[in-house]
Amino acid sequence: MDSKSIRQKFLDFFKERGHHIVPSAPIVNKNDPTLMFTNAGMNQFKDIFLGNQPAKYKRIADTQKCLRVSGKHNDLEEVGIDTYHHTMFEMLGNWSFGDYFKEEAIKWSWELLTVEYKLPKERIYATVFGGDKGENLEPDNESLELWLKYLPKERILYGSKKDNFWEMGDQGPCGPCTEIHIDLRTEEEIKKVPGRDRVNNDDPRVVEIWNNVFIQYNRKADKSLEPLPEKHVDTGMGFERLVMAIQAKTSNYDTDVFQPMIKFIGDACGKTYGKDLKTDIAMRVLSDHIRAISFTIADGQLPGNAKAGYVIRRILRRAVRYGYTFLGFKEPFLNKMVPVLANQFAEVFPELKAQQDFVQKVVLEEEISFLRTLEIGLKKLEQIRTNIEQSKGEKVIDGKTVFELYDTFGFPVDLTALIAREYGLEIDETGFEKEMAVQKERSKKDAVKETTDWVLVRDEEGVEFVGYDHLHAKSKIVKYRKVTAKGKDQYQVVLDTTPFYAESGGQAGDTGVLQSGKEKIQVLDTKKENDLIIHIIDKLPLDVKADFEANVDEKKRLLTENNHSATHLLHAALRDVLGTHVAQKGSLVNEKVLRFDFSHFSKMTPEEIEKVEKIVNAKIRENIQLNERRNVPINEAKSLGAMALFGEKYGEFVRVITFDPSYSVELCGGTHVSATGKIGLFKIVSESSVAAGVRRIEAITADEAENFVDSQLSIIEKLKEVLKNPKDILKAVEELSAEKTKLQKQIEEYVSKEGQGIKEELLKKVETVDGINVVISRVDLSSADALKQLAYDVKAKVDNLFLVLAAKIEDKPQIAVMISENLVADKKLHAGNLVKELAKEIQGGGGGQPFFATAGGKDLAGLDKVLVKAKGVLKEKV
């Protein structure tokens, strides 16, 4: 059975049993502050488990794209080394929300695995929760009894809280789970060691394939457990491991999920998979990592230097490193794998195929950048080796340097260790770990946040958002909790009715006031946690049970709406001017500015920017009325031509925002002006690159745009005054610039002549000491550039040179040291090290290369001491 059939059989099986089949959520998690990425199939249903929203369907099944490379679930370092861990993987899952429970879940698991997939019954083991005395939890004997219908008792094992009790986080829904394992070893191996002894022992052939979680408790902030009013089932089956078991392979990578990619890699590098462990690991790393890289980019997360972007960049660089070191890929190769992957998953995850060119371009640019970094890192390591050899010290690269290579250059520590070994060196791993620990501790302190349990004020009957139609509402507090971060207390409140828009889709959250009688509570921000609207306030009302008037800051909301609607007009104009390949890749909309990121592979020309600006302002002047439609079936919305954003999770019903059906139709949950005329004026203030294939426009509207134009006109008026009101201001500035260039050349000629005269004087002062031509002298020059040029000019005339120049430049002391390359090698002289010592005499510092270095300082009186010290150093060396 091929992998496509295996996936489809799972979905069909549960569809026949009343489950609604839903599409995968994006792999990038945007509305959950606790998660960077979707790391389990249940993530998109958290709000249902938390009770924040009702379940539309009591039974659901799907296949979900997941990523586990950071935090609690960190499998990255295992990927490729073993044969069953992955970064991106598919999680097949079925859910019951207050419907069926343990009996049906266990029965259907057994039926699907043994009847439909025909896996050997005698190879299957189940684990159940064995209880925990510390938490007063009894063993899950109910699940054990249910399993006894299908398995002998010796193949049902009790598991620990770590393995068989699932928790969403430090707080929230949780419960016992039963895992299903399969023994894929040979009969000979099984005779030697029974499968029960290999379960949960990291045996690559005895693996967990399915986990059935029975959510029946709520974990409170004080760590206590309380029963949930409704019990749920949350299951997850690793698709790649399932395919391995059904196809009777010894590794996930031997299945048709990975083999097309591995064959593609092998053909490209001229190596055969299965012949050499190192190249096998590298092929596994590349075939796995390209999935994580490609699907996260397709879902809207670009590689970057922080948070989720850094995780993707790290995965990509790990793949490039393996390809470079073990497969001989010295030129970009990963990007060539994107079309192979896109075709393979076109039917199940079509978003990658739809953005294939864009994703491939982003990966290519990242590869080019890191391959360049690899070269820089290799040169730096070569320099480190030279320094160690010259110093004749211990052949160890210190931990601080290893960390610098990792942190500054993105150089993996294992690559540093590998190259160091080739040089006959070692790395100080303990020192590196200490540096890493300091960084992690710093990050932890920055991220520390304490959150109490929700305090219920009244029964929750659903939260109503009225902010599309009203900026004021009568509200009551449903629940609240305290959050402490960086020593500061704030409170989060949930209202039964709210006009406050919560930050999402790039639009900033509303601020305003909650008022009861004379008491006013400032709403500092409005956020979404999953789909729950949370209002952030700095203090609790005196009476949390009071009735409140919820008032949004009207001016801020209006200005934000101006920018949001202008973003829609901008998007359409960009597609008109640049082409339909333009797609939104991110946005920020608040009361001051709009920022719009979009796919495009070249810098916009001034003419293109001007054209886009004119189109948007024309649409503003047309005063197009907003056409807003709510609860539109998703397929109907798409038939209207509405643009959907890749990486967004849309439900079955959506909101459609239209400004002229022939111009701008988008799916959007944000707030907008009632007519485009309210925007007033649109002005682009910058266009720049964000990442490979992604450009960014920043623009302003309304008041900000008027202020910007006024300030620019004011600058022009002041410039006219300075230039004595010329008729043609542009011509006057050009003439001024030309005159500056001419004067600059004259100064350079003067400095050159000045240096030539001093050079001739220095050449007369050359002394020979033990075969070394020595010049140690004070000079008078007008600039640091002249000092540098003088040093190089003398070097060009004198072999075996040891030169130290001390100069007063703009009332500051300066030093230059120049040493011929042969003396650097033969006499172990180093200009950079020497200039640091000399700089102490002028209360300064500096550095440079072994043959040339400079320094500056504060104490002019120390210049003569510099010359004396330089002569002393020379005597010691020769």
Side-chain angles (χ1 to χ4, degrees):
M1 191 182 299
D2 65 23
S3 58
K4 288 183 181 179
S5 302
I6 292 169
R7 183 191 293 112
Q8 195 57 50
K9 184 174 280 294
F10 176 90
L11 297 173
D12 291 343
F13 179 88
F14 283 102
K15 187 175 183 180
E16 290 167 5
R17 285 154 184 78
H19 290 66
H20 181 72
I21 309 302
V22 299
S24 170
I27 203 168
V28 181
N29 210 313
K30 294 183 178 177
N31 284 326
D32 185 347
T34 67
L35 287 173
M36 283 187 190
F37 303 102
T38 297
N39 65 5
M42 59 72 58
N43 289 163
Q44 67 168 306
F45 308 116
K46 275 179 73 171
D47 270 330
I48 299 172
F49 293 131
L50 290 166
N52 294 340
Q53 65 174 222
K56 292 181 182 177
Y57 305 96
K58 288 292 186 180
R59 300 180 180 187
I60 282 176
D62 73 351
T63 180
Q64 172 66 51
K65 295 174 294 185
C66 297
L67 187 68
R68 287 186 182 175
V69 288
S70 58
K72 180 181 173 183
H73 300 292
N74 187 351
D75 297 336
L76 182 59
E77 296 310 319
E78 303 298 325
V79 175
I81 308 299
D82 66 27
T83 59
Y84 55 94
H85 278 105
H86 301 289
T87 49
M88 179 263 176
F89 60 97
E90 282 187 69
M91 186 73 86
L92 302 171
N94 58 286
W95 286 268
S96 165
F97 304 113
D99 189 10
Y100 64 83
F101 202 46
K102 295 179 181 179
E103 183 174 4
E104 294 87 346
I106 290 172
K107 175 187 174 186
W108 289 337
S109 297
W110 180 257
E111 187 179 335
L112 178 61
L113 292 175
T114 61
V115 178
E116 298 296 327
Y117 289 140
K118 296 182 171 51
L119 288 173
K121 298 176 183 178
E122 68 279 4
R123 297 293 190 99
I124 292 176
Y125 292 80
T127 62
V128 297
F129 179 51
D132 188 287
K133 290 182 180 179
E135 298 211 10
N136 249 356
L137 286 170
E138 295 295 321
D140 185 9
N141 289 324
E142 182 184 357
S143 291
L144 185 142
E145 291 298 323
L146 290 167
W147 272 118
L148 284 171
K149 295 180 182 179
Y150 312 105
L151 288 171
K153 194 165 186 177
E154 63 268 18
R155 283 197 275 127
I156 308 170
L157 311 174
Y158 278 124
S160 65
K161 181 171 178 284
K162 175 180 175 288
D163 290 325
N164 283 87
F165 195 89
W166 180 90
E167 304 198 54
M168 185 182 292
D170 293 335
Q171 296 168 236
C174 54
C177 60
T178 178
E179 295 178 344
I180 303 170
H181 299 252
I182 188 163
D183 190 344
L184 301 173
R185 297 175 300 157
T186 64
E187 290 295 340
E188 290 76 16
E189 290 173 306
I190 291 171
K191 285 176 183 176
K192 291 177 184 175
V193 182
R196 63 179 291 115
D197 293 341
R198 303 308 304 154
V199 169
N200 277 333
N201 272 310
D202 291 326
D203 191 316
R205 308 299 317 287
V206 184
V207 293
E208 173 202 340
I209 53 173
W210 205 345
N211 189 11
N212 282 254
V213 179
F214 306 123
I215 299 176
Q216 57 191 88
Y217 302 110
N218 178 47
R219 173 78 68 187
K220 302 180 75 176
D222 63 4
K223 305 304 178 187
S224 63
L225 295 170
E226 61 181 8
L228 289 171
E230 281 194 325
K231 298 175 181 179
H232 311 294
V233 172
D234 160 21
T235 87
M237 177 152 58
F239 174 65
E240 293 79 9
R241 293 184 184 184
L242 175 67
V243 175
M244 175 181 70
I246 294 171
Q247 294 183 355
K249 301 296 184 182
T250 59
S251 154
N252 292 1
Y253 294 95
D254 293 334
T255 68
D256 67 338
V257 177
F258 289 98
Q259 275 301 304
M261 198 69 70
I262 287 175
K263 185 177 185 308
F264 182 79
I265 297 167
D267 290 344
C269 69
K271 299 181 187 297
T272 303
Y273 184 70
K275 299 290 185 184
D276 177 80
L277 179 59
K278 287 184 178 179
T279 57
D280 285 357
I281 289 173
M283 288 187 191
R284 291 199 288 264
V285 167
L286 266 66
S287 62
D288 171 275
H289 286 14
I290 191 61
R291 292 161 32 114
I293 296 161
S294 299
F295 281 111
T296 47
I297 293 172
D299 277 350
Q301 180 57 63
L302 296 168
N305 288 327
K307 298 182 180 178
Y310 181 70
V311 173
I312 303 310
R313 179 165 282 167
R314 182 180 168 213
I315 295 172
L316 190 148
R317 289 181 169 185
R318 186 173 189 259
V320 171
R321 194 275 290 186
Y322 269 95
Y324 183 96
T325 305
F326 300 108
L327 302 177
F329 291 130
K330 307 302 183 189
E331 298 295 328
F333 171 73
L334 274 179
N335 70 94
K336 297 174 184 175
M337 300 169 70
V338 173
V340 181
L341 187 68
N343 289 331
Q344 183 180 345
F345 285 93
E347 294 175 18
V348 61
F349 303 129
E351 58 273 16
L352 181 56
K353 185 66 179 174
Q355 301 176 86
Q356 177 181 311
D357 292 344
F358 170 72
V359 173
Q360 187 170 1
K361 179 72 173 176
V362 172
V363 175
L364 172 63
E365 293 298 326
E366 282 287 318
E367 285 188 276
I368 291 170
S369 173
F370 186 55
L371 284 168
R372 197 180 303 124
T373 300
L374 272 175
E375 294 297 328
I376 294 170
L378 290 170
K379 287 177 183 176
K380 188 168 180 65
L381 279 166
E382 176 64 37
Q383 185 182 344
I384 291 166
R385 178 179 74 159
T386 302
N387 293 345
I388 289 174
E389 287 176 351
Q390 286 179 353
S391 66
K392 296 181 180 178
E394 195 177 355
K395 293 192 171 185
V396 176
I397 303 175
D398 66 90
K400 208 162 193 173
T401 301
V402 177
F403 181 76
E404 182 192 352
L405 283 163
Y406 166 81
D407 193 48
T408 305
F409 297 97
F411 223 60
V413 63
D414 46 356
L415 178 58
T416 302
L418 180 72
I419 298 167
R421 283 195 297 273
E422 292 173 0
Y423 288 163
L425 305 173
E426 295 178 0
I427 66 167
D428 175 13
E429 291 191 34
T430 304
F432 172 77
E433 291 300 333
K434 283 181 181 176
E435 294 292 331
M436 281 292 290
V438 169
Q439 186 190 62
K440 286 178 181 176
E441 188 61 31
R442 196 183 305 122
S443 299
K444 279 181 184 176
K445 285 179 180 176
D446 289 343
V448 167
K449 186 166 78 170
E450 294 179 13
T451 305
T452 65
D453 287 321
W454 285 109
V455 177
L456 292 177
V457 178
R458 51 179 46 83
D459 290 337
E460 192 174 347
E461 297 179 358
V463 175
E464 183 183 8
F465 172 64
V466 297
Y468 291 139
D469 305 306
H470 306 285
L471 297 181
H472 311 278
K474 300 288 185 184
S475 302
K476 296 176 181 177
I477 293 176
V478 174
K479 57 185 179 181
Y480 68 88
R481 66 184 179 189
K482 185 168 81 170
V483 177
T484 303
K486 296 182 180 179
K488 184 179 179 182
D489 290 344
Q490 289 185 330
Y491 292 86
Q492 297 178 345
V493 299
V494 175
L495 306 176
D496 63 343
T497 303
T498 180
F500 289 87
Y501 180 83
E503 178 186 331
S504 63
Q507 180 174 332
D510 281 333
T511 58
V513 173
L514 294 179
Q515 184 166 356
S516 178
K518 293 183 178 180
E519 185 182 28
K520 291 184 179 181
I521 304 292
Q522 296 295 320
V523 176
L524 307 174
D525 201 355
T526 312
K527 302 268 189 186
K528 263 190 183 179
E529 190 169 300
N530 301 302
D531 281 331
L532 190 66
I533 298 174
I534 294 172
H535 309 76
I536 298 169
I537 57 179
D538 57 2
K539 63 178 181 178
L540 276 180
L542 296 173
D543 180 7
V544 294
K545 294 183 178 180
D547 291 338
F548 292 89
E549 179 79 31
N551 300 310
V552 172
D553 182 328
E554 292 189 36
K555 183 171 183 182
K556 182 182 174 186
R557 166 72 86 83
L558 176 60
L559 293 173
T560 302
E561 288 177 344
N562 288 337
N563 283 330
H564 199 158
S565 296
T567 302
H568 283 224
L569 302 182
L570 170 63
H571 192 181
L574 286 167
R575 288 171 66 87
D576 186 16
V577 173
L578 301 179
T580 55
H581 66 280
V582 167
Q584 181 175 332
K585 292 298 171 187
S587 70
L588 169 69
V589 176
N590 58 34
E591 75 277 18
K592 292 185 177 297
V593 68
L594 70 88
R595 191 179 73 201
F596 188 76
D597 298 344
F598 58 99
S599 52
H600 188 56
F601 294 110
S602 60
K603 179 179 174 65
M604 288 180 67
T605 65
E607 293 76 20
E608 287 171 337
I609 293 173
E610 183 181 0
K611 192 172 182 182
V612 166
E613 205 173 71
K614 283 186 175 180
I615 290 172
V616 173
N617 280 312
K619 293 298 177 183
I620 291 171
R621 289 192 297 274
E622 284 180 32
N623 198 28
I624 302 166
Q625 297 297 302
L626 167 68
N627 182 346
E628 178 215 20
R629 293 180 60 190
R630 302 175 196 172
N631 299 315
V632 179
I634 184 75
N635 290 331
E636 182 184 335
K638 288 179 179 177
S639 71
L640 294 170
M643 278 192 289
L645 303 183
F646 290 110
E648 289 292 333
K649 175 66 179 173
Y650 296 105
E652 294 179 31
F653 296 90
V654 294
R655 183 165 172 261
V656 181
I657 296 297
T658 304
F659 289 109
D660 182 349
S662 64
Y663 183 69
S664 173
V665 185
E666 293 194 32
L667 304 183
C668 180
T671 64
H672 290 274
V673 295
S674 57
T676 61
K678 289 191 173 184
I679 299 170
L681 177 65
F682 171 85
K683 184 68 186 170
I684 294 174
V685 293
S686 72
E687 191 271 353
S688 60
S689 172
V690 178
V694 180
R695 306 296 300 177
R696 170 173 292 172
I697 278 180
E698 290 197 15
I700 48 181
T701 63
D703 296 5
E704 291 289 333
E706 287 180 15
N707 293 339
F708 177 80
V709 172
D710 288 345
S711 69
Q712 295 299 303
L713 291 173
S714 175
I715 290 170
I716 291 171
E717 287 303 314
K718 288 175 182 175
L719 189 58
K720 282 182 178 179
E721 287 179 25
V722 170
L723 296 172
K724 303 208 171 16
N725 295 304
K727 291 182 179 178
D728 187 337
I729 188 171
L730 180 59
K731 185 179 179 182
V733 171
E734 287 172 345
E735 287 174 352
L736 197 62
S737 178
E739 187 177 346
K740 177 178 176 283
T741 302
K742 182 180 176 182
L743 290 171
Q744 187 68 41
K745 284 182 179 178
Q746 290 175 355
I747 292 171
E748 289 171 3
E749 288 172 7
Y750 168 76
V751 168
S752 178
K753 287 177 182 176
E754 175 191 33
Q756 287 300 315
I758 297 172
K759 181 186 78 172
E760 294 303 324
E761 289 298 317
L762 291 178
L763 292 176
K764 294 174 185 177
K765 293 181 180 180
V766 175
E767 294 180 14
T768 302
V769 180
D770 196 21
I772 300 173
N773 293 316
V774 180
V775 178
I776 299 175
S777 179
R778 282 194 66 161
V779 293
D780 292 318
L781 290 164
S782 57
S783 71
D785 286 341
L787 180 64
K788 180 180 178 181
Q789 187 61 51
L790 176 60
Y792 273 93
D793 287 347
V794 173
K795 181 175 181 280
K797 293 287 186 180
V798 181
D799 294 329
N800 298 329
L801 177 67
F802 180 89
L803 170 75
V804 177
L805 299 177
K808 172 185 172 184
I809 297 173
E810 295 180 355
D811 290 326
K812 294 280 180 71
Q814 292 271 338
I815 307 167
V817 177
M818 177 71 79
I819 303 173
S820 293
E821 283 86 345
N822 60 304
L823 297 180
V824 170
D826 298 339
K827 301 292 185 181
K828 307 301 181 189
L829 295 169
H830 192 290
N833 295 339
L834 175 56
V835 87
K836 287 177 185 175
E837 281 300 311
L838 299 178
K840 292 176 182 177
E841 303 299 331
I842 57 171
Q843 296 180 28
Q849 298 167 297
F851 65 90
F852 179 69
T854 59
K858 302 174 185 174
D859 185 10
L860 279 168
L863 284 176
D864 290 334
K865 295 177 184 177
V866 167
L867 303 179
V868 173
K869 193 169 192 178
K871 290 173 183 175
V873 170
L874 182 64
K875 281 183 182 179
E876 288 176 14
K877 293 292 182 180
V878 300

